[in-house]
Amino acid sequence: KALPSPPILERCMSVMQSGTQMVKLKSGTKGLVRLFYLDEHRTCIRWRPSRKSEKAKIVIDSIYKVTEGRQSEIFHRHAEGNFDPSCCFTIYHGNHLESLDLITSNPEEARTWITGLKYLMAGISDEDSLAKRQRTHDHWVKQTFEEADKNGDGLLNIEEIHQLMHKLNVNLPRRKVRQMFQEADTDENQGTLNFEEFSVFYKMMSLRRDLYLLLLSYSDKKDHLTVEELAQFLKVEQKMSNVTPEYCADIIQKFEVSEENKEQNVLGIEGFTNFMRSPACDVFNPLHCEVHQDMDQPLCNYFIASSHNTYLTGDQLLSQSRVEMYARVLQDGCRCIEVDCWDGPDGEPVVHHGYTLTSKIFFRDVAETINKYAFIKNEFPVILSIENHCSIQQQKKIAQYLKEILGDKLDLSSVVTGDSRQLPSPQNLKGKILVKGKKLPCSLGADAEEGEVSDEDSADEIEDDCKLKSCYVCACTHLPEQPFLARVLHNPTCCCYRLTRRRKTVKLCRALSDLVVYTNSVAAQDIVDDGSTGNVLSFSETRAHQAVQQKAEQFMLYNQKQLTRVYPSAYRIDSSNFNPLPYWNVGCQLVALNYQSEGRMMQLNEAKFRVNGNCGYVLKPQQMCKGNPVTAVRFLQYCHLWLGDFEQTSLVIVNKQLIGLRGLFNKNPKHSSAESSAHYVRKRSIGDRILRRTASAPAKGRKKSKMGFLEASEIKDSASEPADLKDKEGVVRRTSRSLQARPASMPVDKFLLVGLPCAEDETAQDAKGKENATGKRFPKLAVV
């Protein structure tokens, strides 16, 4: 839908920045009247009054969608409220899709906010990664300034600066902070910094000394790089080939901030820093931003991004179930989603976590959301993991909704595998939705409308092969119908219950069974190869861990032909996640995680699936498809690894090769290191030696020395190296010249101008500093 004309949009922005009084609707309350407004930078919505102060805001970047009318769960809870739907709207934001439900005094105000928010969201989605990163950085600097300005006068004095340095964990001597403060304080109002002056101060404070020395080493001691010198840096340090003058000139025009430098076609320290912190120098291979792997192999040859209890926004006991979670994870690249189906009111099946207090959503709404969002970001197949707990009547309703809503997406009759013993490929299944569930046994007559199937692979099983049939006589009268909660939340001595061990079966209707084609759920029994295809073996993490420990080889061989799904333990009631790596390492394709839970395990999952255009499918190593896998690892570039969950934070990774598995497990690592020291020294790049001097502790026996403010004439020569340091392309280091005049774009602190490392100095220290106290070698990392 086209956005309104620019004048209308600017009027929306003006009204939003002026502020609008609206009712903030909350569950269990009548609503709170608050003044909502768009901040001056148009980056977040704020409201007042609020006891949360700084937390009372929603960043535009975090908004997932804006819905009109009374569509949210909060509005449904206030069904008795006499609210005009044209005055109501909901903002969904954050990883957990929290809702901000608002009511305006008239329809025009609601329309203004809805239009304005959609305009802002559209602008953000159209930005390239560089523009978005720069805007995020600028906003962060402005926010940092405002938070440091305690009295709100728009100025920062030296004490406020010192407090800010402490808050940011910047450990600089006070005299250096004062010197940079004085250099940045250029207006008539001496003794304080306005925002523009603070921006200059921040640039000086955040300037990386190692990057500055790196620039000097490739620029013959000038503080800018020419096109030729930039090309030299890209070839030697970044290991880039086919570097053209046109490419280098484009870098200068794109990243340099000084107009004077742009005119002279040189890259100063600010531009160099911007370039080094840009996506162009990211450790992530830009080619991997698109699907680049072979997508014509059988499904079992791919890791598939999978979620557990997809509908939940929080914990497994009390949190909300929302259809928006399906939209979010599908657009995040998830390709296997879970739907727990239970009998609902009026013959309508519902989705929720059984035997808990999680809220319920209608299955029909889930199916419609999946149909709408399944293939927005990519067309590779979606696996719909159905956990069926419904009666036959409501199972038929589920099958009916799936066929009516998903239509041709369920039709797999045209899919050709080429080999009946192989699963189809992601390429062949583009635009298709596979239903993973139980299938009626072949022994059952074709005319039978229903039959019994085992239910042993249900995600409700609690660390056992067989389903535990629970018979409870609960003494906790306040939870008589919630035995699961009684077991988890109460001392066992207060609840009398008995567990009988028996294999559980459920009735399955033919209509739902017929929708299962290539993804038939089978019980978690011993791993055997019976020659059949199209089975999905389900394991809880505990059972999967036992299989990895006891039968890793059989597990891996099974996963070369069939699919395996691993899901979190039922005892992870806080929706925490297990480590997916051990299960990926034996070839498990569907390692299901709680996508609503942030943390290290989800970061591993995001990293895993980012490498193939974030399409949800990553090809396994060839050895894992047809043999035993072997992996040595190496970093080849001086580049940045962005830490996505931490604002303005990244790791700088230095050109360094790890010594490989044989060296890592050598009984005499010191001897192994010494044998290769000569070769290692010759291959050391300038960037590596600079970081060694700026980020490492002094070598043993070497005295620590205070950094002095050296004059330019005192800088040591480090650019010269022995003649045998030519690389295979014949690139050599330039001889040094005296420091030349600098086209100024910002003041550069004199404490950066210290001695550059000499190759001769480093050679002697390399032999001593190969190992740390344990005799091991690690790549050097520095936090930016």
Side-chain angles (χ1 to χ4, degrees), residues 156-190:
L156 297 184
N157 59 35
I158 188 64
E159 283 308 314
E160 288 174 319
I161 289 291
H162 284 310
Q163 292 174 20
L164 177 60
M165 296 294 99
H166 179 74
K167 179 181 177 181
L168 296 178
N169 198 28
V170 177
N171 189 21
L172 287 176
R174 292 176 73 90
R175 59 185 174 81
K176 292 183 180 178
V177 173
R178 181 171 292 277
Q179 180 194 0
M180 289 188 290
F181 183 96
Q182 291 170 348
E183 288 192 44
D185 187 10
T186 57
D187 66 1
E188 296 177 355
N189 194 6
Q190 292 292 298

Side-chain angles (χ1 to χ4, degrees), residues 143-159:
Q143 180 180 316
T144 300
F145 175 82
E146 291 173 348
E147 291 176 0
D149 183 14
K150 301 300 182 184
N151 59 6
D153 63 355
L155 299 170
L156 297 184
N157 59 35
I158 188 64
E159 283 308 314

